[in-house]
PDB file of all heavy atoms in Angstrom:
ATOM      1  N   MET A  36     -15.088  -2.091 -24.663  1.00 85.00           N
ATOM      2  CA  MET A  36     -14.085  -1.056 -24.337  1.00 85.00           C
ATOM      3  C   MET A  36     -13.129  -1.552 -23.298  1.00 85.00           C
ATOM      4  O   MET A  36     -11.911  -1.276 -23.393  1.00 85.00           O
ATOM      5  CB  MET A  36     -14.826   0.179 -23.867  1.00 85.00           C
ATOM      6  CG  MET A  36     -15.625   0.912 -24.975  1.00 85.00           C
ATOM      7  SD  MET A  36     -14.638   1.370 -26.389  1.00 85.00           S
ATOM      8  CE  MET A  36     -13.463   2.522 -25.597  1.00 85.00           C
ATOM      9  N   ARG A  41      -7.831  -3.111 -21.779  1.00 85.00           N
ATOM     10  CA  ARG A  41      -7.309  -3.953 -20.711  1.00 85.00           C
ATOM     11  C   ARG A  41      -5.804  -3.779 -20.526  1.00 85.00           C
ATOM     12  O   ARG A  41      -5.327  -3.639 -19.365  1.00 85.00           O
ATOM     13  CB  ARG A  41      -7.697  -5.388 -20.947  1.00 85.00           C
ATOM     14  CG  ARG A  41      -7.190  -6.344 -19.827  1.00 85.00           C
ATOM     15  CD  ARG A  41      -7.601  -7.761 -20.155  1.00 85.00           C
ATOM     16  NE  ARG A  41      -9.038  -7.919 -20.278  1.00 85.00           N
ATOM     17  CZ  ARG A  41      -9.649  -9.000 -20.752  1.00 85.00           C
ATOM     18  NH1 ARG A  41      -8.884 -10.031 -21.126  1.00 85.00           N
ATOM     19  NH2 ARG A  41     -10.928  -9.061 -20.868  1.00 85.00           N
ATOM     20  N   LEU A  60      11.740   5.064  -2.355  1.00 89.00           N
ATOM     21  CA  LEU A  60      13.171   5.076  -2.633  1.00 89.00           C
ATOM     22  C   LEU A  60      13.693   6.452  -2.807  1.00 89.00           C
ATOM     23  O   LEU A  60      14.730   6.862  -2.327  1.00 89.00           O
ATOM     24  CB  LEU A  60      13.516   4.197  -3.859  1.00 89.00           C
ATOM     25  CG  LEU A  60      13.355   2.706  -3.670  1.00 89.00           C
ATOM     26  CD1 LEU A  60      13.584   1.984  -4.996  1.00 89.00           C
ATOM     27  CD2 LEU A  60      14.349   2.199  -2.647  1.00 89.00           C
ATOM     28  N   PHE A  86      13.065  -4.584 -10.174  1.00 93.00           N
ATOM     29  CA  PHE A  86      13.850  -5.696  -9.651  1.00 93.00           C
ATOM     30  C   PHE A  86      13.187  -6.323  -8.433  1.00 93.00           C
ATOM     31  O   PHE A  86      13.132  -7.510  -8.280  1.00 93.00           O
ATOM     32  CB  PHE A  86      15.259  -5.237  -9.377  1.00 93.00           C
ATOM     33  CG  PHE A  86      16.112  -6.308  -8.715  1.00 93.00           C
ATOM     34  CD1 PHE A  86      16.659  -7.334  -9.444  1.00 93.00           C
ATOM     35  CD2 PHE A  86      16.355  -6.249  -7.340  1.00 93.00           C
ATOM     36  CE1 PHE A  86      17.440  -8.342  -8.870  1.00 93.00           C
ATOM     37  CE2 PHE A  86      17.134  -7.246  -6.738  1.00 93.00           C
ATOM     38  CZ  PHE A  86      17.677  -8.298  -7.503  1.00 93.00           C
ATOM     39  N   TYR A  93       9.370 -14.052  -8.531  1.00 82.00           N
ATOM     40  CA  TYR A  93      10.203 -15.228  -8.672  1.00 82.00           C
ATOM     41  C   TYR A  93      10.133 -16.064  -7.420  1.00 82.00           C
ATOM     42  O   TYR A  93      10.020 -17.311  -7.516  1.00 82.00           O
ATOM     43  CB  TYR A  93      11.673 -14.777  -8.927  1.00 82.00           C
ATOM     44  CG  TYR A  93      12.660 -15.939  -8.871  1.00 82.00           C
ATOM     45  CD1 TYR A  93      12.750 -16.792  -9.931  1.00 82.00           C
ATOM     46  CD2 TYR A  93      13.441 -16.160  -7.715  1.00 82.00           C
ATOM     47  CE1 TYR A  93      13.635 -17.890  -9.857  1.00 82.00           C
ATOM     48  CE2 TYR A  93      14.326 -17.214  -7.655  1.00 82.00           C
ATOM     49  CZ  TYR A  93      14.423 -18.045  -8.710  1.00 82.00           C
ATOM     50  OH  TYR A  93      15.307 -19.113  -8.662  1.00 82.00           O
ATOM     51  N   VAL A 100       4.354 -21.587  -4.956  1.00 69.00           N
ATOM     52  CA  VAL A 100       3.645 -22.495  -5.885  1.00 69.00           C
ATOM     53  C   VAL A 100       4.009 -23.978  -5.605  1.00 69.00           C
ATOM     54  O   VAL A 100       3.121 -24.825  -5.426  1.00 69.00           O
ATOM     55  CB  VAL A 100       3.873 -22.129  -7.346  1.00 69.00           C
ATOM     56  CG1 VAL A 100       3.311 -23.214  -8.279  1.00 69.00           C
ATOM     57  CG2 VAL A 100       3.307 -20.768  -7.649  1.00 69.00           C
ATOM     58  N   LEU A 107      -1.381 -29.667  -1.435  1.00 68.00           N
ATOM     59  CA  LEU A 107      -2.448 -30.425  -2.090  1.00 68.00           C
ATOM     60  C   LEU A 107      -2.153 -31.916  -2.162  1.00 68.00           C
ATOM     61  O   LEU A 107      -2.994 -32.760  -1.848  1.00 68.00           O
ATOM     62  CB  LEU A 107      -2.709 -29.832  -3.481  1.00 68.00           C
ATOM     63  CG  LEU A 107      -3.292 -28.381  -3.532  1.00 68.00           C
ATOM     64  CD1 LEU A 107      -3.357 -27.922  -4.970  1.00 68.00           C
ATOM     65  CD2 LEU A 107      -4.689 -28.377  -2.853  1.00 68.00           C
ATOM     66  N   GLY A 109      -0.015 -33.535  -0.252  1.00 64.00           N
ATOM     67  CA  GLY A 109      -0.029 -34.087   1.134  1.00 64.00           C
ATOM     68  C   GLY A 109      -1.386 -34.338   1.673  1.00 64.00           C
ATOM     69  O   GLY A 109      -1.670 -35.334   2.358  1.00 64.00           O
ATOM     70  N   ASN A 139     -27.478 -46.605  14.227  1.00 49.00           N
ATOM     71  CA  ASN A 139     -26.389 -47.541  13.876  1.00 49.00           C
ATOM     72  C   ASN A 139     -25.763 -47.203  12.589  1.00 49.00           C
ATOM     73  O   ASN A 139     -24.709 -47.672  12.241  1.00 49.00           O
ATOM     74  CB  ASN A 139     -26.896 -48.947  13.870  1.00 49.00           C
ATOM     75  CG  ASN A 139     -27.434 -49.423  15.253  1.00 49.00           C
ATOM     76  OD1 ASN A 139     -26.839 -49.041  16.276  1.00 49.00           O
ATOM     77  ND2 ASN A 139     -28.478 -50.211  15.252  1.00 49.00           N
ATOM     78  N   MET A 189       5.859   2.021 -17.825  1.00 92.00           N
ATOM     79  CA  MET A 189       7.148   2.770 -17.852  1.00 92.00           C
ATOM     80  C   MET A 189       6.945   4.230 -18.286  1.00 92.00           C
ATOM     81  O   MET A 189       7.510   5.153 -17.708  1.00 92.00           O
ATOM     82  CB  MET A 189       8.129   2.081 -18.766  1.00 92.00           C
ATOM     83  CG  MET A 189       8.609   0.732 -18.280  1.00 92.00           C
ATOM     84  SD  MET A 189       9.411   0.743 -16.632  1.00 92.00           S
ATOM     85  CE  MET A 189       8.087   0.187 -15.592  1.00 92.00           C
ATOM     86  N   GLU A 196       5.196  13.283 -13.404  1.00 89.00           N
ATOM     87  CA  GLU A 196       5.073  14.701 -13.006  1.00 89.00           C
ATOM     88  C   GLU A 196       4.381  15.507 -14.094  1.00 89.00           C
ATOM     89  O   GLU A 196       3.523  16.372 -13.815  1.00 89.00           O
ATOM     90  CB  GLU A 196       6.509  15.217 -12.733  1.00 89.00           C
ATOM     91  CG  GLU A 196       7.063  14.807 -11.447  1.00 89.00           C
ATOM     92  CD  GLU A 196       7.753  13.484 -11.533  1.00 89.00           C
ATOM     93  OE1 GLU A 196       7.795  12.942 -12.642  1.00 89.00           O
ATOM     94  OE2 GLU A 196       8.196  12.957 -10.487  1.00 89.00           O
ATOM     95  N   MET A 202      -3.131  16.910 -15.898  1.00 90.00           N
ATOM     96  CA  MET A 202      -4.427  16.594 -15.302  1.00 90.00           C
ATOM     97  C   MET A 202      -4.875  17.712 -14.330  1.00 90.00           C
ATOM     98  O   MET A 202      -6.061  18.080 -14.310  1.00 90.00           O
ATOM     99  CB  MET A 202      -4.346  15.239 -14.534  1.00 90.00           C
ATOM    100  CG  MET A 202      -4.046  14.056 -15.440  1.00 90.00           C
ATOM    101  SD  MET A 202      -5.243  13.853 -16.777  1.00 90.00           S
ATOM    102  CE  MET A 202      -6.726  13.479 -15.902  1.00 90.00           C
ATOM    103  N   GLN A 236       0.079  -4.309   4.730  1.00 82.00           N
ATOM    104  CA  GLN A 236      -0.410  -5.697   4.718  1.00 82.00           C
ATOM    105  C   GLN A 236       0.658  -6.651   4.216  1.00 82.00           C
ATOM    106  O   GLN A 236       0.757  -7.764   4.734  1.00 82.00           O
ATOM    107  CB  GLN A 236      -1.637  -5.733   3.734  1.00 82.00           C
ATOM    108  CG  GLN A 236      -2.420  -7.037   3.829  1.00 82.00           C
ATOM    109  CD  GLN A 236      -3.098  -7.261   5.179  1.00 82.00           C
ATOM    110  OE1 GLN A 236      -3.510  -6.298   5.805  1.00 82.00           O
ATOM    111  NE2 GLN A 236      -3.184  -8.469   5.641  1.00 82.00           N
ATOM    112  N   ILE A 242       5.939 -10.838   8.198  1.00 87.00           N
ATOM    113  CA  ILE A 242       6.264 -11.055   9.601  1.00 87.00           C
ATOM    114  C   ILE A 242       5.540 -12.266  10.147  1.00 87.00           C
ATOM    115  O   ILE A 242       6.092 -13.133  10.839  1.00 87.00           O
ATOM    116  CB  ILE A 242       5.881  -9.765  10.382  1.00 87.00           C
ATOM    117  CG1 ILE A 242       6.744  -8.625   9.988  1.00 87.00           C
ATOM    118  CG2 ILE A 242       6.019 -10.054  11.886  1.00 87.00           C
ATOM    119  CD1 ILE A 242       6.392  -7.315  10.615  1.00 87.00           C
ATOM    120  N   PHE A 254       9.537 -25.856  17.507  1.00 89.00           N
ATOM    121  CA  PHE A 254       8.765 -26.897  18.139  1.00 89.00           C
ATOM    122  C   PHE A 254       8.795 -28.264  17.364  1.00 89.00           C
ATOM    123  O   PHE A 254       8.040 -29.179  17.733  1.00 89.00           O
ATOM    124  CB  PHE A 254       7.315 -26.430  18.264  1.00 89.00           C
ATOM    125  CG  PHE A 254       7.120 -25.295  19.263  1.00 89.00           C
ATOM    126  CD1 PHE A 254       6.655 -24.074  18.796  1.00 89.00           C
ATOM    127  CD2 PHE A 254       7.463 -25.469  20.595  1.00 89.00           C
ATOM    128  CE1 PHE A 254       6.495 -23.028  19.709  1.00 89.00           C
ATOM    129  CE2 PHE A 254       7.250 -24.454  21.507  1.00 89.00           C
ATOM    130  CZ  PHE A 254       6.799 -23.190  21.099  1.00 89.00           C
ATOM    131  N   GLY A 263       4.509 -22.326   6.899  1.00 86.00           N
ATOM    132  CA  GLY A 263       4.874 -20.926   7.170  1.00 86.00           C
ATOM    133  C   GLY A 263       4.757 -20.071   5.908  1.00 86.00           C
ATOM    134  O   GLY A 263       4.245 -18.939   5.942  1.00 86.00           O
ATOM    135  N   THR A 264       5.232 -20.615   4.782  1.00 83.00           N
ATOM    136  CA  THR A 264       5.151 -19.852   3.537  1.00 83.00           C
ATOM    137  C   THR A 264       3.710 -19.659   3.072  1.00 83.00           C
ATOM    138  O   THR A 264       3.318 -18.597   2.628  1.00 83.00           O
ATOM    139  CB  THR A 264       5.986 -20.562   2.434  1.00 83.00           C
ATOM    140  OG1 THR A 264       7.298 -20.766   2.839  1.00 83.00           O
ATOM    141  CG2 THR A 264       5.957 -19.782   1.143  1.00 83.00           C
ATOM    142  N   ILE A 266       0.967 -19.703   4.990  1.00 87.00           N
ATOM    143  CA  ILE A 266       0.247 -18.800   5.856  1.00 87.00           C
ATOM    144  C   ILE A 266       0.678 -17.349   5.564  1.00 87.00           C
ATOM    145  O   ILE A 266      -0.146 -16.433   5.603  1.00 87.00           O
ATOM    146  CB  ILE A 266       0.508 -19.172   7.335  1.00 87.00           C
ATOM    147  CG1 ILE A 266      -0.282 -20.425   7.696  1.00 87.00           C
ATOM    148  CG2 ILE A 266       0.083 -18.027   8.276  1.00 87.00           C
ATOM    149  CD1 ILE A 266      -0.149 -20.864   9.128  1.00 87.00           C
ATOM    150  N   GLN A 295       0.112 -33.371  17.181  1.00 88.00           N
ATOM    151  CA  GLN A 295       0.896 -32.232  16.737  1.00 88.00           C
ATOM    152  C   GLN A 295       0.022 -31.191  16.082  1.00 88.00           C
ATOM    153  O   GLN A 295       0.305 -29.991  16.128  1.00 88.00           O
ATOM    154  CB  GLN A 295       1.998 -32.709  15.777  1.00 88.00           C
ATOM    155  CG  GLN A 295       3.157 -33.426  16.464  1.00 88.00           C
ATOM    156  CD  GLN A 295       4.299 -33.745  15.515  1.00 88.00           C
ATOM    157  OE1 GLN A 295       4.089 -33.982  14.351  1.00 88.00           O
ATOM    158  NE2 GLN A 295       5.565 -33.714  16.057  1.00 88.00           N
ATOM    159  N   ILE A 303      -0.927 -21.343  16.802  1.00 90.00           N
ATOM    160  CA  ILE A 303      -1.440 -20.340  15.824  1.00 90.00           C
ATOM    161  C   ILE A 303      -2.360 -19.387  16.540  1.00 90.00           C
ATOM    162  O   ILE A 303      -2.377 -18.168  16.270  1.00 90.00           O
ATOM    163  CB  ILE A 303      -2.164 -21.031  14.688  1.00 90.00           C
ATOM    164  CG1 ILE A 303      -1.160 -21.699  13.735  1.00 90.00           C
ATOM    165  CG2 ILE A 303      -2.982 -20.019  13.886  1.00 90.00           C
ATOM    166  CD1 ILE A 303      -0.214 -20.722  13.053  1.00 90.00           C
ATOM    167  N   PRO A 316      -1.939  -3.672  14.530  1.00 63.00           N
ATOM    168  CA  PRO A 316      -2.198  -2.270  14.755  1.00 63.00           C
ATOM    169  C   PRO A 316      -1.009  -1.337  14.463  1.00 63.00           C
ATOM    170  O   PRO A 316      -1.186  -0.233  14.019  1.00 63.00           O
ATOM    171  CB  PRO A 316      -2.496  -2.223  16.263  1.00 63.00           C
ATOM    172  CG  PRO A 316      -2.976  -3.603  16.561  1.00 63.00           C
ATOM    173  CD  PRO A 316      -2.144  -4.509  15.741  1.00 63.00           C
ATOM    174  N   ARG A 317       0.214  -1.820  14.696  1.00 64.00           N
ATOM    175  CA  ARG A 317       1.387  -1.007  14.462  1.00 64.00           C
ATOM    176  C   ARG A 317       1.749  -0.937  12.979  1.00 64.00           C
ATOM    177  O   ARG A 317       2.163   0.115  12.456  1.00 64.00           O
ATOM    178  CB  ARG A 317       2.560  -1.528  15.278  1.00 64.00           C
ATOM    179  CG  ARG A 317       2.410  -1.330  16.764  1.00 64.00           C
ATOM    180  CD  ARG A 317       3.584  -1.912  17.513  1.00 64.00           C
ATOM    181  NE  ARG A 317       3.483  -1.746  18.929  1.00 64.00           N
ATOM    182  CZ  ARG A 317       3.888  -0.663  19.601  1.00 64.00           C
ATOM    183  NH1 ARG A 317       4.470   0.338  18.957  1.00 64.00           N
ATOM    184  NH2 ARG A 317       3.737  -0.575  20.900  1.00 64.00           N
ATOM    185  N   VAL A 318       1.656  -2.095  12.293  1.00 63.00           N
ATOM    186  CA  VAL A 318       2.098  -2.139  10.925  1.00 63.00           C
ATOM    187  C   VAL A 318       1.043  -1.699   9.910  1.00 63.00           C
ATOM    188  O   VAL A 318       1.269  -0.976   8.967  1.00 63.00           O
ATOM    189  CB  VAL A 318       2.544  -3.598  10.572  1.00 63.00           C
ATOM    190  CG1 VAL A 318       2.985  -3.721   9.097  1.00 63.00           C
ATOM    191  CG2 VAL A 318       3.670  -4.010  11.475  1.00 63.00           C
ATOM    192  N   ILE A 325      -9.207   2.747  10.357  1.00 70.00           N
ATOM    193  CA  ILE A 325     -10.611   2.371  10.676  1.00 70.00           C
ATOM    194  C   ILE A 325     -10.628   1.308  11.747  1.00 70.00           C
ATOM    195  O   ILE A 325      -9.711   0.468  11.802  1.00 70.00           O
ATOM    196  CB  ILE A 325     -11.419   1.917   9.415  1.00 70.00           C
ATOM    197  CG1 ILE A 325     -10.718   0.728   8.778  1.00 70.00           C
ATOM    198  CG2 ILE A 325     -11.527   3.059   8.388  1.00 70.00           C
ATOM    199  CD1 ILE A 325     -11.484   0.138   7.635  1.00 70.00           C
ATOM    200  N   LEU A 331     -13.931  -5.831   9.320  1.00 74.00           N
ATOM    201  CA  LEU A 331     -14.737  -7.031   9.091  1.00 74.00           C
ATOM    202  C   LEU A 331     -15.846  -6.785   8.093  1.00 74.00           C
ATOM    203  O   LEU A 331     -16.099  -7.577   7.174  1.00 74.00           O
ATOM    204  CB  LEU A 331     -15.300  -7.525  10.434  1.00 74.00           C
ATOM    205  CG  LEU A 331     -16.225  -8.714  10.368  1.00 74.00           C
ATOM    206  CD1 LEU A 331     -15.478  -9.985   9.795  1.00 74.00           C
ATOM    207  CD2 LEU A 331     -16.772  -9.031  11.762  1.00 74.00           C
TER     208      LEU A 331
END
Side-chain angles (χ1 to χ4, degrees):
M36 292 301 299
R41 183 181 300 170
L60 289 175
F86 175 77
Y93 171 77
V100 172
L107 292 174
N139 295 325
M189 293 300 101
E196 286 83 5
M202 297 302 295
Q236 192 67 35
I242 293 174
F254 292 117
T264 304
I266 287 181
Q295 286 187 327
I303 288 297
R317 293 178 179 271
V318 177
I325 57 176
L331 177 61

